[in-house]
Amino acid sequence: MAEAKVFQMGFAKVYGLLVSKAQKKGRTKAEVDTVTRWLTGYTQPELDSLLESDLTYGDFFRQAPRPNPDRTLIRGVVCGVRVEEVTDPLMREARYLDKLVDELAKGKPMEKVLRTPEGSK
């Protein structure tokens, strides 16, 4: 199966689109950074450095240092796709981030967006 074109795009470009989506709904880049760090385990300096690099969106997820084990608690539909049913592991990671940013854009409080086993019940 051919890799989706989005994974060949520059990380900074795709990330900019996610930030723009959140900002249009009154959220901040800092909040998008927070959910991204929670999901992937990158530090803020690492994230800032990656935004200045030519890293692809696919490699951003492939190289994530500490994917959050609680990311599997992310459920629901984003862009018409049920996140928990995505079979391709790389696409699922991208959909997790899409879903988190979507929830931010919809006004969900940060403590609800950042799932924990106790907080998701």
Side-chain angles (χ1 to χ4, degrees), residues 38-39 68-75 100 103 108-121:
W38 176 89
L39 180 67
N68 192 315
D70 290 338
R71 72 193 187 287
T72 59
L73 299 172
I74 300 170
R75 305 251 185 251
L100 294 176
E103 290 177 356
K108 204 169 192 182
M110 185 63 76
E111 55 273 8
K112 298 275 188 186
V113 174
L114 302 182
R115 288 143 171 92
T116 59
E118 301 80 36
S120 65
K121 294 178 183 173

PDB file of all heavy atoms in Angstrom, residues 38-39 68-75 100 103 108-121:
ATOM      1  N   TRP A  38       2.183  16.087  24.433  1.00  0.00           N
ATOM      2  CA  TRP A  38       1.519  15.025  25.196  1.00  0.00           C
ATOM      3  C   TRP A  38       1.430  13.748  24.355  1.00  0.00           C
ATOM      4  O   TRP A  38       1.691  12.653  24.846  1.00  0.00           O
ATOM      5  CB  TRP A  38       0.115  15.489  25.618  1.00  0.00           C
ATOM      6  CG  TRP A  38      -0.683  14.451  26.322  1.00  0.00           C
ATOM      7  CD1 TRP A  38      -0.707  14.218  27.666  1.00  0.00           C
ATOM      8  CD2 TRP A  38      -1.573  13.490  25.738  1.00  0.00           C
ATOM      9  NE1 TRP A  38      -1.547  13.164  27.949  1.00  0.00           N
ATOM     10  CE2 TRP A  38      -2.095  12.686  26.781  1.00  0.00           C
ATOM     11  CE3 TRP A  38      -1.975  13.210  24.435  1.00  0.00           C
ATOM     12  CZ2 TRP A  38      -2.996  11.654  26.567  1.00  0.00           C
ATOM     13  CZ3 TRP A  38      -2.872  12.178  24.220  1.00  0.00           C
ATOM     14  CH2 TRP A  38      -3.375  11.416  25.275  1.00  0.00           C
ATOM     15  N   LEU A  39       1.064  13.886  23.105  1.00  0.00           N
ATOM     16  CA  LEU A  39       0.873  12.739  22.226  1.00  0.00           C
ATOM     17  C   LEU A  39       2.182  12.033  21.885  1.00  0.00           C
ATOM     18  O   LEU A  39       2.254  10.807  21.907  1.00  0.00           O
ATOM     19  CB  LEU A  39       0.181  13.182  20.933  1.00  0.00           C
ATOM     20  CG  LEU A  39      -0.083  12.096  19.897  1.00  0.00           C
ATOM     21  CD1 LEU A  39      -1.114  11.099  20.415  1.00  0.00           C
ATOM     22  CD2 LEU A  39      -0.554  12.718  18.588  1.00  0.00           C
ATOM     23  N   ASN A  68       2.627   8.683  23.920  1.00  0.00           N
ATOM     24  CA  ASN A  68       1.875   8.551  25.164  1.00  0.00           C
ATOM     25  C   ASN A  68       1.020   7.279  25.130  1.00  0.00           C
ATOM     26  O   ASN A  68       0.218   7.106  24.211  1.00  0.00           O
ATOM     27  CB  ASN A  68       0.981   9.777  25.350  1.00  0.00           C
ATOM     28  CG  ASN A  68       0.396   9.859  26.730  1.00  0.00           C
ATOM     29  OD1 ASN A  68      -0.084   8.874  27.264  1.00  0.00           O
ATOM     30  ND2 ASN A  68       0.427  11.044  27.300  1.00  0.00           N
ATOM     31  N   PRO A  69       1.176   6.406  26.122  1.00  0.00           N
ATOM     32  CA  PRO A  69       0.367   5.184  26.117  1.00  0.00           C
ATOM     33  C   PRO A  69      -1.135   5.468  26.217  1.00  0.00           C
ATOM     34  O   PRO A  69      -1.948   4.660  25.765  1.00  0.00           O
ATOM     35  CB  PRO A  69       0.877   4.398  27.327  1.00  0.00           C
ATOM     36  CG  PRO A  69       1.671   5.350  28.140  1.00  0.00           C
ATOM     37  CD  PRO A  69       2.098   6.466  27.251  1.00  0.00           C
ATOM     38  N   ASP A  70      -1.508   6.614  26.773  1.00  0.00           N
ATOM     39  CA  ASP A  70      -2.924   6.970  26.905  1.00  0.00           C
ATOM     40  C   ASP A  70      -3.533   7.457  25.593  1.00  0.00           C
ATOM     41  O   ASP A  70      -4.730   7.710  25.520  1.00  0.00           O
ATOM     42  CB  ASP A  70      -3.119   8.023  27.990  1.00  0.00           C
ATOM     43  CG  ASP A  70      -2.874   7.471  29.383  1.00  0.00           C
ATOM     44  OD1 ASP A  70      -2.974   6.238  29.560  1.00  0.00           O
ATOM     45  OD2 ASP A  70      -2.581   8.269  30.290  1.00  0.00           O
ATOM     46  N   ARG A  71      -2.732   7.557  24.530  1.00  0.00           N
ATOM     47  CA  ARG A  71      -3.273   8.022  23.243  1.00  0.00           C
ATOM     48  C   ARG A  71      -4.314   7.052  22.706  1.00  0.00           C
ATOM     49  O   ARG A  71      -5.179   7.444  21.925  1.00  0.00           O
ATOM     50  CB  ARG A  71      -2.157   8.266  22.242  1.00  0.00           C
ATOM     51  CG  ARG A  71      -1.488   7.023  21.689  1.00  0.00           C
ATOM     52  CD  ARG A  71      -0.197   7.388  20.952  1.00  0.00           C
ATOM     53  NE  ARG A  71       0.401   6.268  20.276  1.00  0.00           N
ATOM     54  CZ  ARG A  71       1.037   5.265  20.873  1.00  0.00           C
ATOM     55  NH1 ARG A  71       1.144   5.239  22.186  1.00  0.00           N
ATOM     56  NH2 ARG A  71       1.557   4.281  20.167  1.00  0.00           N
ATOM     57  N   THR A  72      -4.264   5.807  23.139  1.00  0.00           N
ATOM     58  CA  THR A  72      -5.258   4.828  22.680  1.00  0.00           C
ATOM     59  C   THR A  72      -6.640   5.119  23.256  1.00  0.00           C
ATOM     60  O   THR A  72      -7.623   4.524  22.816  1.00  0.00           O
ATOM     61  CB  THR A  72      -4.835   3.392  23.044  1.00  0.00           C
ATOM     62  OG1 THR A  72      -4.687   3.301  24.458  1.00  0.00           O
ATOM     63  CG2 THR A  72      -3.530   3.018  22.348  1.00  0.00           C
ATOM     64  N   LEU A  73      -6.713   6.038  24.216  1.00  0.00           N
ATOM     65  CA  LEU A  73      -8.008   6.451  24.766  1.00  0.00           C
ATOM     66  C   LEU A  73      -8.706   7.466  23.858  1.00  0.00           C
ATOM     67  O   LEU A  73      -9.860   7.809  24.093  1.00  0.00           O
ATOM     68  CB  LEU A  73      -7.821   7.060  26.162  1.00  0.00           C
ATOM     69  CG  LEU A  73      -7.226   6.119  27.213  1.00  0.00           C
ATOM     70  CD1 LEU A  73      -6.898   6.889  28.490  1.00  0.00           C
ATOM     71  CD2 LEU A  73      -8.160   4.959  27.490  1.00  0.00           C
ATOM     72  N   ILE A  74      -8.009   7.937  22.841  1.00  0.00           N
ATOM     73  CA  ILE A  74      -8.594   8.907  21.909  1.00  0.00           C
ATOM     74  C   ILE A  74      -9.578   8.161  21.019  1.00  0.00           C
ATOM     75  O   ILE A  74      -9.222   7.208  20.336  1.00  0.00           O
ATOM     76  CB  ILE A  74      -7.507   9.605  21.066  1.00  0.00           C
ATOM     77  CG1 ILE A  74      -6.531  10.342  21.973  1.00  0.00           C
ATOM     78  CG2 ILE A  74      -8.147  10.544  20.044  1.00  0.00           C
ATOM     79  CD1 ILE A  74      -5.285  10.855  21.265  1.00  0.00           C
ATOM     80  N   ARG A  75     -10.810   8.592  21.057  1.00  0.00           N
ATOM     81  CA  ARG A  75     -11.887   7.950  20.300  1.00  0.00           C
ATOM     82  C   ARG A  75     -12.690   9.026  19.583  1.00  0.00           C
ATOM     83  O   ARG A  75     -12.668  10.179  19.949  1.00  0.00           O
ATOM     84  CB  ARG A  75     -12.831   7.199  21.248  1.00  0.00           C
ATOM     85  CG  ARG A  75     -12.138   6.201  22.140  1.00  0.00           C
ATOM     86  CD  ARG A  75     -12.481   4.807  21.696  1.00  0.00           C
ATOM     87  NE  ARG A  75     -11.918   3.822  22.594  1.00  0.00           N
ATOM     88  CZ  ARG A  75     -10.913   3.031  22.269  1.00  0.00           C
ATOM     89  NH1 ARG A  75     -10.376   3.118  21.096  1.00  0.00           N
ATOM     90  NH2 ARG A  75     -10.444   2.148  23.111  1.00  0.00           N
ATOM     91  N   LEU A 100      -7.132  15.535  18.470  1.00  0.00           N
ATOM     92  CA  LEU A 100      -6.829  16.416  19.600  1.00  0.00           C
ATOM     93  C   LEU A 100      -6.984  17.884  19.208  1.00  0.00           C
ATOM     94  O   LEU A 100      -7.572  18.679  19.949  1.00  0.00           O
ATOM     95  CB  LEU A 100      -5.404  16.148  20.111  1.00  0.00           C
ATOM     96  CG  LEU A 100      -5.164  14.777  20.733  1.00  0.00           C
ATOM     97  CD1 LEU A 100      -3.693  14.615  21.097  1.00  0.00           C
ATOM     98  CD2 LEU A 100      -6.049  14.549  21.936  1.00  0.00           C
ATOM     99  N   GLU A 103     -10.639  18.750  18.835  1.00  0.00           N
ATOM    100  CA  GLU A 103     -11.282  18.966  20.131  1.00  0.00           C
ATOM    101  C   GLU A 103     -10.924  20.333  20.702  1.00  0.00           C
ATOM    102  O   GLU A 103     -11.778  21.005  21.277  1.00  0.00           O
ATOM    103  CB  GLU A 103     -10.907  17.854  21.106  1.00  0.00           C
ATOM    104  CG  GLU A 103     -11.545  16.531  20.734  1.00  0.00           C
ATOM    105  CD  GLU A 103     -11.137  15.386  21.639  1.00  0.00           C
ATOM    106  OE1 GLU A 103     -10.282  15.571  22.532  1.00  0.00           O
ATOM    107  OE2 GLU A 103     -11.684  14.288  21.451  1.00  0.00           O
ATOM    108  N   LYS A 108     -13.145  22.330  23.666  1.00  0.00           N
ATOM    109  CA  LYS A 108     -13.021  21.392  24.777  1.00  0.00           C
ATOM    110  C   LYS A 108     -11.893  21.860  25.705  1.00  0.00           C
ATOM    111  O   LYS A 108     -10.833  22.279  25.237  1.00  0.00           O
ATOM    112  CB  LYS A 108     -12.711  19.991  24.226  1.00  0.00           C
ATOM    113  CG  LYS A 108     -13.110  18.869  25.118  1.00  0.00           C
ATOM    114  CD  LYS A 108     -13.007  17.542  24.373  1.00  0.00           C
ATOM    115  CE  LYS A 108     -13.668  16.451  25.163  1.00  0.00           C
ATOM    116  NZ  LYS A 108     -13.548  15.146  24.519  1.00  0.00           N
ATOM    117  N   PRO A 109     -12.097  21.789  27.027  1.00  0.00           N
ATOM    118  CA  PRO A 109     -11.036  22.210  27.949  1.00  0.00           C
ATOM    119  C   PRO A 109      -9.807  21.295  27.839  1.00  0.00           C
ATOM    120  O   PRO A 109      -9.932  20.094  27.588  1.00  0.00           O
ATOM    121  CB  PRO A 109     -11.665  22.090  29.328  1.00  0.00           C
ATOM    122  CG  PRO A 109     -13.056  21.633  29.149  1.00  0.00           C
ATOM    123  CD  PRO A 109     -13.298  21.360  27.704  1.00  0.00           C
ATOM    124  N   MET A 110      -8.632  21.878  28.040  1.00  0.00           N
ATOM    125  CA  MET A 110      -7.378  21.136  27.893  1.00  0.00           C
ATOM    126  C   MET A 110      -7.356  19.881  28.764  1.00  0.00           C
ATOM    127  O   MET A 110      -6.886  18.832  28.326  1.00  0.00           O
ATOM    128  CB  MET A 110      -6.190  22.037  28.245  1.00  0.00           C
ATOM    129  CG  MET A 110      -4.856  21.390  27.996  1.00  0.00           C
ATOM    130  SD  MET A 110      -4.522  20.979  26.264  1.00  0.00           S
ATOM    131  CE  MET A 110      -4.153  22.591  25.615  1.00  0.00           C
ATOM    132  N   GLU A 111      -7.876  19.957  29.973  1.00  0.00           N
ATOM    133  CA  GLU A 111      -7.850  18.783  30.854  1.00  0.00           C
ATOM    134  C   GLU A 111      -8.684  17.623  30.312  1.00  0.00           C
ATOM    135  O   GLU A 111      -8.422  16.468  30.621  1.00  0.00           O
ATOM    136  CB  GLU A 111      -8.252  19.129  32.294  1.00  0.00           C
ATOM    137  CG  GLU A 111      -9.587  19.805  32.444  1.00  0.00           C
ATOM    138  CD  GLU A 111      -9.541  21.324  32.318  1.00  0.00           C
ATOM    139  OE1 GLU A 111      -8.488  21.889  31.962  1.00  0.00           O
ATOM    140  OE2 GLU A 111     -10.572  21.960  32.569  1.00  0.00           O
ATOM    141  N   LYS A 112      -9.644  17.905  29.476  1.00  0.00           N
ATOM    142  CA  LYS A 112     -10.429  16.846  28.828  1.00  0.00           C
ATOM    143  C   LYS A 112      -9.728  16.327  27.580  1.00  0.00           C
ATOM    144  O   LYS A 112      -9.827  15.159  27.241  1.00  0.00           O
ATOM    145  CB  LYS A 112     -11.818  17.355  28.444  1.00  0.00           C
ATOM    146  CG  LYS A 112     -12.655  17.796  29.618  1.00  0.00           C
ATOM    147  CD  LYS A 112     -13.348  16.626  30.222  1.00  0.00           C
ATOM    148  CE  LYS A 112     -14.336  17.153  31.263  1.00  0.00           C
ATOM    149  NZ  LYS A 112     -14.945  16.091  31.997  1.00  0.00           N
ATOM    150  N   VAL A 113      -9.037  17.233  26.883  1.00  0.00           N
ATOM    151  CA  VAL A 113      -8.337  16.844  25.659  1.00  0.00           C
ATOM    152  C   VAL A 113      -7.183  15.897  25.997  1.00  0.00           C
ATOM    153  O   VAL A 113      -6.981  14.891  25.318  1.00  0.00           O
ATOM    154  CB  VAL A 113      -7.810  18.089  24.903  1.00  0.00           C
ATOM    155  CG1 VAL A 113      -6.964  17.689  23.712  1.00  0.00           C
ATOM    156  CG2 VAL A 113      -8.980  18.963  24.451  1.00  0.00           C
ATOM    157  N   LEU A 114      -6.451  16.217  27.060  1.00  0.00           N
ATOM    158  CA  LEU A 114      -5.317  15.380  27.480  1.00  0.00           C
ATOM    159  C   LEU A 114      -5.845  14.242  28.343  1.00  0.00           C
ATOM    160  O   LEU A 114      -6.052  14.397  29.536  1.00  0.00           O
ATOM    161  CB  LEU A 114      -4.283  16.214  28.244  1.00  0.00           C
ATOM    162  CG  LEU A 114      -3.708  17.403  27.499  1.00  0.00           C
ATOM    163  CD1 LEU A 114      -2.680  18.111  28.333  1.00  0.00           C
ATOM    164  CD2 LEU A 114      -3.128  16.983  26.152  1.00  0.00           C
ATOM    165  N   ARG A 115      -6.054  13.134  27.725  1.00  0.00           N
ATOM    166  CA  ARG A 115      -6.701  12.011  28.389  1.00  0.00           C
ATOM    167  C   ARG A 115      -5.786  11.316  29.393  1.00  0.00           C
ATOM    168  O   ARG A 115      -4.598  11.188  29.182  1.00  0.00           O
ATOM    169  CB  ARG A 115      -7.138  10.983  27.346  1.00  0.00           C
ATOM    170  CG  ARG A 115      -8.325  11.476  26.550  1.00  0.00           C
ATOM    171  CD  ARG A 115      -8.201  11.030  25.119  1.00  0.00           C
ATOM    172  NE  ARG A 115      -9.402  11.288  24.358  1.00  0.00           N
ATOM    173  CZ  ARG A 115      -9.601  12.390  23.671  1.00  0.00           C
ATOM    174  NH1 ARG A 115      -8.708  13.345  23.660  1.00  0.00           N
ATOM    175  NH2 ARG A 115     -10.703  12.548  22.982  1.00  0.00           N
ATOM    176  N   THR A 116      -6.444  10.853  30.438  1.00  0.00           N
ATOM    177  CA  THR A 116      -5.804   9.957  31.377  1.00  0.00           C
ATOM    178  C   THR A 116      -6.815   8.837  31.612  1.00  0.00           C
ATOM    179  O   THR A 116      -8.018   9.040  31.430  1.00  0.00           O
ATOM    180  CB  THR A 116      -5.487  10.638  32.716  1.00  0.00           C
ATOM    181  OG1 THR A 116      -6.694  11.130  33.284  1.00  0.00           O
ATOM    182  CG2 THR A 116      -4.496  11.789  32.544  1.00  0.00           C
ATOM    183  N   PRO A 117      -6.359   7.659  32.022  1.00  0.00           N
ATOM    184  CA  PRO A 117      -7.323   6.563  32.234  1.00  0.00           C
ATOM    185  C   PRO A 117      -8.431   6.958  33.218  1.00  0.00           C
ATOM    186  O   PRO A 117      -9.596   6.661  33.006  1.00  0.00           O
ATOM    187  CB  PRO A 117      -6.468   5.427  32.779  1.00  0.00           C
ATOM    188  CG  PRO A 117      -5.113   5.687  32.229  1.00  0.00           C
ATOM    189  CD  PRO A 117      -4.991   7.194  32.179  1.00  0.00           C
ATOM    190  N   GLU A 118      -8.084   7.681  34.273  1.00  0.00           N
ATOM    191  CA  GLU A 118      -9.096   8.074  35.257  1.00  0.00           C
ATOM    192  C   GLU A 118     -10.024   9.140  34.696  1.00  0.00           C
ATOM    193  O   GLU A 118     -11.222   9.106  34.912  1.00  0.00           O
ATOM    194  CB  GLU A 118      -8.426   8.628  36.532  1.00  0.00           C
ATOM    195  CG  GLU A 118      -7.501   7.671  37.213  1.00  0.00           C
ATOM    196  CD  GLU A 118      -6.118   7.578  36.559  1.00  0.00           C
ATOM    197  OE1 GLU A 118      -5.598   8.613  36.077  1.00  0.00           O
ATOM    198  OE2 GLU A 118      -5.564   6.479  36.505  1.00  0.00           O
ATOM    199  N   GLY A 119      -9.455  10.114  33.954  1.00  0.00           N
ATOM    200  CA  GLY A 119     -10.232  11.232  33.451  1.00  0.00           C
ATOM    201  C   GLY A 119     -11.112  10.896  32.269  1.00  0.00           C
ATOM    202  O   GLY A 119     -12.009  11.647  31.917  1.00  0.00           O
ATOM    203  N   SER A 120     -10.914   9.741  31.656  1.00  0.00           N
ATOM    204  CA  SER A 120     -11.684   9.397  30.458  1.00  0.00           C
ATOM    205  C   SER A 120     -12.940   8.610  30.776  1.00  0.00           C
ATOM    206  O   SER A 120     -13.709   8.299  29.904  1.00  0.00           O
ATOM    207  CB  SER A 120     -10.807   8.599  29.500  1.00  0.00           C
ATOM    208  OG  SER A 120     -10.464   7.362  30.066  1.00  0.00           O
ATOM    209  N   LYS A 121     -13.126   8.261  32.016  1.00  0.00           N
ATOM    210  CA  LYS A 121     -14.305   7.456  32.398  1.00  0.00           C
ATOM    211  C   LYS A 121     -15.521   8.308  32.601  1.00  0.00           C
ATOM    212  O   LYS A 121     -15.469   9.459  32.826  1.00  0.00           O
ATOM    213  CB  LYS A 121     -14.005   6.663  33.673  1.00  0.00           C
ATOM    214  CG  LYS A 121     -12.937   5.612  33.432  1.00  0.00           C
ATOM    215  CD  LYS A 121     -12.635   4.885  34.691  1.00  0.00           C
ATOM    216  CE  LYS A 121     -11.525   3.890  34.435  1.00  0.00           C
ATOM    217  NZ  LYS A 121     -11.050   3.238  35.604  1.00  0.00           N
TER     218      LYS A 121
END
